[in-house]
Structures are given as C-alpha cells and as structure tokens.
Amino acid sequence: MTQIIKTNLSDIEPYAASLLEEASKMLSIAYAPYSNFLVGAAALMEDGSIHHGCNQENASYPLCICGERVALYNSHVNAPGQKVIALAIIAKNPAKRLLTPVSPCGACRQVIAEFEQKQSAPIEIFLQGESDEVFYLKDSSTLLPYQFSGNVLGK
Ligand code: THU
C-alpha cells in the first residue's frame, strides 16, 4: 500500500505539472449544471499522448459521470493498447474555494484500479484543488485497498 504524498505544484516533475495544467483546461467545459462542481482530468499515455475528460451531468442524476472516468475511457478509445502512465484530476467549486485537492469517488477508484490491472502497471495519480497544493499517489492502492478484481469472474 502506498501513501499520499502532499506536495506542491512547484515541487512536482514538469510532466506532472503539465498534466495538471491539461486537466485544468477541462474545467471550463465541464458539464455540471446541477451540482456546479467542476472536475477536469487528463491521462498521460506511454506514447506521450494526453487524453482529457470532464464531468458530464444529466437531469437524470444517476447518469452523471465523473471527469476522471471520462478521461480514462477516452484514453482507451483514442490510444488503445497504450498504457496510462499518469492521471491528473483537478476540481473547482465556484461557490467555495477548494483549498486542498479533492479525492476521487469510490466508483472512479474502482475504474482506475481496473485500468491498472488490465495494463499490469501502476497509474500515478496527481490531485489538485484551487491552490498550489498537490497530492501524489504512485498508484490506486492507497485509494482503494483490497480491490475487487475481474479474476474471480467466469470459470
Ligand atoms: N465528480 C467527479 O467528476 N469526480 C469525482 O471523483 C467525484 C465527483 C463529479 C460528479 C458530479 O458531476 C459532481 O462531481 C458532483 O458530485
């Protein structure tokens, strides 16, 4: 199990800062008319390509999908077979400044875990709110210990 490393935008590697910057570009197009809570995400692949996502809400509330899941699914569609190296997630609440990073919901943790399982490689996770503070995790295991795995399904 890994720990959450609490760090700062100026202390992370340039590729991670750039990825957070890419994620932040999504905040302006997040579709969140119901919660007004904005989430942007960006996935960095082993070939260097970056695939974006933002939350997508719906008047039928259970159909809302989180920004990080959109980014991961988008990465699979646009770069099939490529491993996800890192995932940056940034959140913004226009009604209340988010001074610390926001943690991914349980559903997204499970999806990140399955991406790691299918590519047999960890995904670095970088989280940011509306300050320079950044939380870094070297994979999903801190967020979701004792993960459910598809290994138990089927014969
Ligand atoms: N949301 C995300 O995009 N990612 C998360 O990990 C947590 C929540 C979105 C879903 C919904 O559009 C809004 O934030 C409020 O829950």
Side-chain angles (χ1 to χ4, degrees):
M1 197 187 297
T2 56
Q3 298 297 315
I4 298 172
I5 295 171
K6 298 185 175 182
T7 180
N8 197 279
L9 209 47
S10 55
D11 290 333
I12 58 176
E13 297 285 334
Y15 75 90
S18 303
L19 197 61
L20 281 163
E21 174 65 24
E22 289 299 315
S24 75
K25 291 177 186 169
M26 295 292 99
L27 294 173
S28 63
I29 61 164
Y31 180 65
Y34 305 104
S35 72
N36 208 26
F37 186 82
L38 312 172
V39 180
L44 172 66
M45 316 305 282
E46 57 188 342
D47 67 358
S49 63
I50 292 174
H51 304 280
H52 300 78
C54 57
N55 53 333
Q56 302 286 331
E57 297 189 348
N58 192 282
S60 177
Y61 293 172
L63 302 184
C64 296
I65 182 165
C66 297
E68 51 271 60
R69 263 182 289 159
V70 173
L72 286 175
Y73 293 153
N74 192 24
S75 77
H76 182 96
V77 169
N78 288 294
Q82 284 287 316
K83 290 179 182 170
V84 181
I85 303 294
L87 179 66
I89 306 166
I90 186 163
K92 177 176 177 155
N93 181 352
K96 181 171 68 178
R97 185 159 175 246
L98 302 173
L99 295 173
T100 58
V102 171
S103 195
C105 78
C108 288
R109 295 171 193 214
Q110 183 68 31
V111 170
I112 297 167
E114 179 134 351
F115 267 71
E116 291 176 327
Q117 288 163 21
K118 86 173 148 92
Q119 68 184 26
S120 300
I123 297 174
E124 293 186 308
I125 301 165
F126 296 91
L127 307 172
Q128 192 185 0
E130 295 173 72
S131 73
D132 283 352
E133 187 171 27
V134 173
F135 289 178
Y136 163 70
L137 302 101
K138 73 177 177 61
D139 59 36
S140 72
S141 63
T142 296
L143 293 174
L144 190 67
Y146 194 51
Q147 302 170 347
F148 179 72
S149 158
N151 293 339
V152 297
L153 303 177
K155 289 185 184 168

